[in-house]
Amino acid sequence: MHFAQYYLDCLSQASYLIGDETTGRAVLVDPRRDIDEYLHDAEAAGLRIELVIETHIHADFLSGHLELARATDAAIAFGEAAETGFPIRRLRDGERISLGADDTEGVTLTALATPGHTLESICLVIHEHPDDEAPFGVLTGDTLFVGDVGRPDLLSAAGHSPHDMAARLYRSLHTKLLTLPDATRVFPAHGAGSACGRSLSTETSSTIGDQRRLNYALQPMPEADFVRLVTAGQPATPGYFAHDVALNRDGHPLLDPGPPAALTLDEALAARDRQGAVLLDCRPSAAYTRAHLTGSLHTSLDTRFAEYAGSVVAPGTPIVLIADPGTEQEARLRLARIGYDRVLGHLSDPAAVLERTPALTRRSRRIRHDELALEEPQPGDATAVGAPAPGVPVAEAAAVGAPADGPAADAPAPEGPAPGVQLIDVRNPAEYEAGALPGARNIPLAGLSQRLTELDPARPVVLYCRSGGRSVIAAALLEARGFGDVCDVVGGYEAVAAAVG
């Protein structure tokens, strides 16, 4: 048997190539959209990809089933409950897929219907030989992760309550996956960092036995307790999830791998002003905070770039990239992996442009934890209890690490802060519940763009996250939406917690 896991760190996403080396027949499970690596490896191993299997209709990335079908003539398969806008093979519960010369020999996959994360979710039990007593492993999709289980709330908009889906998930886990032998290897579709679960492990594989012992959601408990447990504290859903579900279900254009066009500053600004394009700065955060084009959004390529971009840029919005030279193609590809294909081009040599046009640039305002005075919440005013330390107005807080001169160094600061600072925690709910700054409101980054009306743009805003990455992205969003007095806390909650012991 040929078995290969492909793990994409930037999306915490895993796909799998399984083949029978005797017959050369192979399947690919949960592929991403850029498929060249799969095709190269299959050819090198002497395998023909005959079937592309999706464990469910994905929400967090745009799958490559259409690209692979075009490249290989492979059929596309989903669980029996799937409804799609293109022809598929429907896999029934218990259906066997043989990669051998006939059903009595060779590598075999057995589909298990495991609704809960979604209605059409399936898992795939792999036997190297049909008569093996124990399976080689099981591909668990988003039903079971290492350290967690799939979130049950993604179908709320379609009329399926999280509690109903959680009950289905409980039964799928206990009547299907936990009946497998303890030695069965577990290969999930996601790992740590994914928004498809709450506390995924950094490990990308495990065993049924280890998960039975160590996974909090698989400990002995009544169904009702499980439902309460897994419906609480889930991370905020990024805005692009519904967009990707629709594209993965109904069909989408094939990936265009070409490089983005180089644009002058005038062309980039014309795209913004005439076509409604977003200027998306994907340089490292330190470079962005020192100087950036006024009104640009930000998410760095050295973090969860696509997921965060999908949280602050609406699906279908034209995009102009502001990227360090040589990184623009990577940025375009990573956006394409979540279905953001409308990249109009990239700004040529952004560092030189920023140097030449100080009137069009600004510097981010950041404060250190020791410049933030925290008071106890006052009754009826839970959102206005964080304030800069005496003598350090929010509007005058320096950009930490920024040079004393250079682009935007002399940019005028807004007037002093209005009374009452809005202190916003942009972490996920579980992080917030585990500990937060006094008086902070929790508006996770993934939902911030939909909740801006809850904030007063005339009052100062202080943002923080765990360590200072997400808060820079949030500050950029508020600046672009017209908030005049915005800063974030360098080092985030971790820095404050460390300082107070």
Side-chain angles (χ1 to χ4, degrees):
M1 180 175 69
H2 179 96
F3 180 89
Q5 180 189 69
Y6 299 83
Y7 193 78
L8 190 64
D9 284 311
C10 61
L11 285 174
S12 305
Q13 184 263 333
S15 49
Y16 298 89
L17 176 64
I18 304 109
D20 188 304
E21 294 175 334
T22 301
T23 64
R25 302 173 64 195
V27 301
L28 195 53
V29 180
D30 291 338
R32 63 181 186 264
R33 203 175 173 199
D34 45 312
I35 62 173
D36 287 351
E37 184 177 13
Y38 307 132
L39 298 178
H40 175 273
D41 288 359
E43 182 179 10
L47 299 175
R48 302 181 308 279
I49 299 171
E50 298 183 350
L51 186 64
V52 181
I53 305 176
E54 299 288 2
T55 57
H56 61 292
I57 297 173
H58 300 283
D60 58 311
F61 73 102
L62 203 56
S63 183
H65 48 262
L66 296 179
E67 282 81 1
L68 277 162
R70 171 66 66 86
T72 67
D73 291 326
I76 300 169
F78 281 84
E80 191 171 20
E83 297 293 338
T84 66
F86 45 86
I88 61 171
R89 174 179 170 182
R90 298 181 184 277
L91 298 177
R92 302 180 307 277
D93 184 37
E95 182 172 346
R96 298 176 66 185
I97 302 163
S98 175
L99 301 180
D102 57 50
D103 291 345
T104 64
E105 59 182 28
V107 176
T108 302
L109 288 74
T110 303
L112 302 179
T114 52
H117 177 64
T118 66
L119 292 172
E120 77 286 346
S121 289
I122 60 173
C123 296
L124 298 166
V125 181
I126 306 168
H127 284 84
E128 190 166 1
H129 308 96
D131 56 354
D132 287 344
E133 183 174 344
F136 166 81
V138 57
L139 306 186
T140 56
D142 283 18
T143 298
L144 174 64
F145 301 124
V146 180
D148 205 349
V149 294
R151 62 188 300 170
D153 60 335
L154 293 184
L155 292 183
S156 298
H160 300 278
S161 76
H163 287 77
D164 172 63
M165 296 302 292
R168 294 174 187 243
L169 181 62
Y170 179 89
R171 293 189 286 272
S172 292
L173 291 166
H174 286 271
T175 65
K176 299 290 180 66
L177 292 181
L178 291 180
T179 65
L180 296 172
D182 279 355
T184 306
R185 299 174 181 89
V186 170
F187 298 101
H190 293 292
S194 170
C196 292
R198 187 172 61 186
S199 57
L200 284 69
S201 170
T202 56
E203 299 296 323
T204 59
S205 66
S206 182
T207 65
I208 289 291
D210 282 349
Q211 291 309 294
R212 195 192 308 275
R213 290 189 299 273
L214 303 174
N215 191 316
Y216 77 95
L218 300 185
Q219 301 313 298
M221 69 184 81
E223 180 180 303
D225 291 349
F226 174 88
V227 169
R228 283 192 293 269
L229 183 64
V230 302
T231 54
Q234 291 290 350
T237 304
Y240 74 92
F241 270 29
H243 173 70
D244 278 20
V245 167
L247 292 177
N248 282 324
R249 179 191 63 224
D250 301 333
H252 55 78
L254 299 183
L255 175 67
D256 177 6
L263 304 178
T264 65
L265 176 61
D266 287 343
E267 291 170 331
L269 296 179
R272 179 194 66 187
D273 299 338
R274 298 173 189 171
Q275 298 177 253
V278 162
L279 305 180
L280 182 60
D281 195 320
C282 45
R283 298 174 300 145
S285 292
Y288 170 84
T289 56
R290 282 196 297 269
H292 56 267
L293 286 175
T294 300
S296 59
L297 296 178
H298 170 65
T299 174
S300 175
L301 274 173
D302 59 12
T303 183
R304 300 184 67 81
F305 171 70
E307 178 183 323
Y308 293 154
S311 296
V312 298
V313 179
T317 303
I319 295 171
V320 173
L321 299 169
I322 301 174
D324 285 335
T327 65
E328 61 275 354
Q329 175 65 358
E330 174 69 12
R332 179 179 186 175
L333 174 60
R334 288 169 69 174
L335 289 171
R337 286 172 176 158
I338 64 164
Y340 279 41
D341 288 347
R342 295 194 66 191
V343 175
L344 303 182
H346 71 98
L347 179 65
S348 295
D349 198 358
V353 170
L354 293 170
E355 186 71 35
R356 291 195 306 266
T357 57
L360 299 179
T361 67
R362 67 177 297 167
R363 181 178 62 184
S364 298
R365 295 183 174 86
R366 312 195 73 191
I367 59 174
R368 297 183 299 271
H369 65 86
D370 57 348
E371 296 172 320
L372 182 66
L374 297 173
E375 305 168 2
E376 290 302 317
Q378 300 299 315
D381 193 21
T383 66
V385 300
V392 188
V394 172
E396 297 175 6
V400 175
D405 51 12
D410 299 321
E415 295 296 321
V421 172
Q422 302 169 97
L423 181 61
I424 307 300
D425 183 326
V426 298
R427 298 175 300 163
N428 282 316
E431 296 174 279
Y432 177 78
E433 291 164 7
L437 299 184
R441 289 182 60 188
N442 183 217
I443 305 182
L445 176 63
L448 181 60
S449 62
Q450 288 80 43
R451 297 179 61 184
L452 291 182
T453 56
E454 299 177 23
L455 303 178
D456 184 353
R459 292 168 56 195
V461 180
V462 176
L463 301 148
Y464 75 91
C465 61
R466 179 178 62 86
S467 58
R470 285 169 285 180
S471 59
V472 174
I473 300 170
L477 174 63
L478 266 61
E479 288 179 5
R481 297 293 181 87
F483 285 71
D485 197 352
V486 180
C487 72
D488 81 298
V489 180
V490 177
Y493 184 77
E494 286 184 344
V496 178
V500 299

